[in-house]
Amino acid sequence: MLQTNFLKKQFSNPLVLASGILGLTAASLHRTVQNGAGGVTAKSVSLEPRPGHPNPVIISKKYYILNAVGLSNPGVVEAVKEFIKFKQLCATPLIASIFGGHHDEFGELAEKISAAPIDFLELNLSCPNVSHEFGRPFAFSTEAVTIITKKVKEKTKIPIIIKLSPNASNITEIAKAAEAAGADAICAVNTLSGMAIDVKMRQPILHNKHGGVSGPALFPVALKCVYDICSTIKIPIIGTGGVTSGEDALAMIMAGATLVGIGSAVYYRGENAFNKITDEMEKIMTEEGIKNLEEIRGICIH
Ligand SMILES: Cc1cc2nc3c(=O)[nH]c(=O)nc-3n(C[C@H](O)[C@H](O)[C@H](O)COP(=O)(O)O)c2cc1C
């Protein structure tokens, strides 16, 4: 009922772990598969290891999570080792994610990470929490997205996914530029820029002062981004942002998404969130007489 084909790979269901939620070790990613994920995206990696931002890096509220982890990761060499181990444990589709501070770093990372048995390569061009180090996210600029997409396509044969930002005022233009430059798919969206202030302390709560908003509050924003992008381009989309229920996941698919990213739901509904959400999807589909996801994909787009 939930089987999904994405760029010629079969997914047992359309739910994929979003990047940065459960790290990149083989053990953690494999456990996520055992908890029902149809595919997994690893934490974004850079050429060298990064410690990330000092604490506090994350706060959670009823309707949103705010994080500024600062892209902490063990670097691409360690990541490759973990991806090899993961594929020895299962055949579930694995999406690696990379980020760099300069166009050329993406090319170099793509080359290095292609040594691993990954199925897809996501380019994180949209992290809102590291602007003091790297400047404006690349996902704000059609030129930057074009250059990086072309550079990475030259360096790897692995299908690439461009991850976009809901903070870009022209997200459909950015998606079009990615498609024209050769991207195989889009992931929309990353977190939305935000902040929190401790009134008694009279200062921002996060050490980084600002961070990225995810979780239920992001859902309607992400849904509209996915709908707008799907109305504009032909390549498939991973609809990510605030999905915490089967109903949300089906709405993402009706907006045109092929796969659905699951991030903060792991916090709100536990590590078994994937199984819970697929059960809810199947229940709604049965009640509504929907036999498979193809029947409803993009059904709202006219
Ligand atoms: C703690 C945390 C860390 C994240 N790290 C990354 C990351 O390394 N790379 C990336 O592309 N997105 C990262 N994200 C963004 C998520 O992949 C996702 O796009 C976003 O959280 C929206 O989905 P959600 O509302 O389902 O969590 C992170 C999100 C959170 C909450």
Side-chain angles (χ1 to χ4, degrees):
M1 198 177 211
L2 298 180
Q3 286 264 337
T4 301
N5 187 292
F6 176 76
L7 297 173
K8 298 188 183 135
K9 294 261 173 188
Q10 273 306 117
F11 286 66
S12 58
N13 71 68
L15 305 186
V16 293
L17 174 70
S19 180
I21 304 299
L22 290 169
L24 55 67
T25 65
S28 171
L29 298 176
H30 183 236
R31 195 175 164 83
T32 310
V33 170
Q34 288 174 320
N35 282 318
V40 288
T41 313
K43 171 80 185 165
S44 300
V45 291
S46 44
L47 283 170
E48 300 300 330
R50 281 175 57 86
H53 294 319
N55 282 322
V57 294
I58 189 162
I59 63 164
S60 61
K61 298 278 181 185
K62 192 167 177 197
Y63 295 113
Y64 67 88
I65 289 174
L66 182 72
N67 96 84
V69 170
L71 293 169
S72 55
N73 76 91
V76 66
V77 174
E78 281 308 307
V80 167
K81 291 183 199 159
E82 291 299 326
F83 299 158
I84 292 169
K85 277 194 237 163
F86 173 81
K87 280 293 179 177
Q88 286 164 351
L89 295 171
C90 63
T92 304
L94 168 63
I95 307 172
S97 169
I98 55 172
F99 81 95
H102 187 269
H103 306 161
D104 292 329
E105 278 179 41
F106 280 91
E108 202 179 332
L109 272 162
E111 215 165 9
K112 292 210 159 96
I113 214 154
S114 297
I118 57 174
D119 299 284
F120 308 98
L121 179 58
E122 191 167 276
L123 276 53
N124 178 4
L125 307 183
S126 45
C127 181
N129 312 326
V130 287
S131 48
H132 61 284
E133 260 179 280
F134 299 119
R136 269 159 43 95
F138 295 117
F140 286 9
S141 152
T142 49
E143 289 80 14
V145 167
T146 302
I147 293 169
I148 295 170
T149 305
K150 285 188 174 163
K151 199 150 272 181
V152 170
K153 283 303 278 185
E154 277 168 20
K155 301 283 184 186
T156 183
K157 293 204 163 23
I158 294 164
I160 68 166
I161 304 163
I162 304 295
K163 186 159 182 184
L164 299 185
S165 167
N167 297 306
S169 57
N170 54 345
I171 195 164
T172 52
E173 294 306 312
I174 306 279
K176 262 200 254 177
E179 182 182 52
D184 298 280
I186 296 291
C187 177
V189 288
N190 210 314
T191 52
L192 191 59
S193 198
M195 76 181 295
I197 288 175
D198 183 323
V199 169
K200 290 191 180 146
M201 297 293 286
R202 303 179 185 198
Q203 63 179 28
I205 296 175
L206 296 182
H207 184 275
N208 189 53
K209 297 193 173 68
H210 61 93
V213 177
S214 61
L218 180 59
F219 179 68
V221 177
L223 189 66
K224 171 139 192 322
C225 289
V226 169
Y227 179 87
D228 289 347
I229 295 168
C230 289
S231 308
T232 313
I233 62 170
K234 294 204 163 54
I235 54 176
I237 297 178
I238 306 178
T240 304
V243 173
T244 56
S245 67
E247 193 174 351
D248 294 344
L250 290 171
M252 274 291 186
I253 290 167
M254 288 187 181
T258 299
L259 295 177
V260 178
I262 299 293
S264 304
V266 173
Y267 167 81
Y268 289 99
R269 304 201 62 192
E271 62 176 2
N272 203 23
F274 296 90
N275 282 326
K276 290 179 184 163
I277 296 173
T278 50
D279 284 353
E280 290 162 5
M281 290 173 82
E282 285 177 345
K283 185 167 179 286
I284 297 171
M285 288 169 73
T286 305
E287 282 165 8
E288 295 294 318
I290 303 164
K291 290 190 189 60
N292 58 59
L293 297 173
E294 282 318 304
E295 263 183 50
I296 54 161
R297 193 177 321 288
I299 201 160
C300 295
I301 300 172
H302 298 295

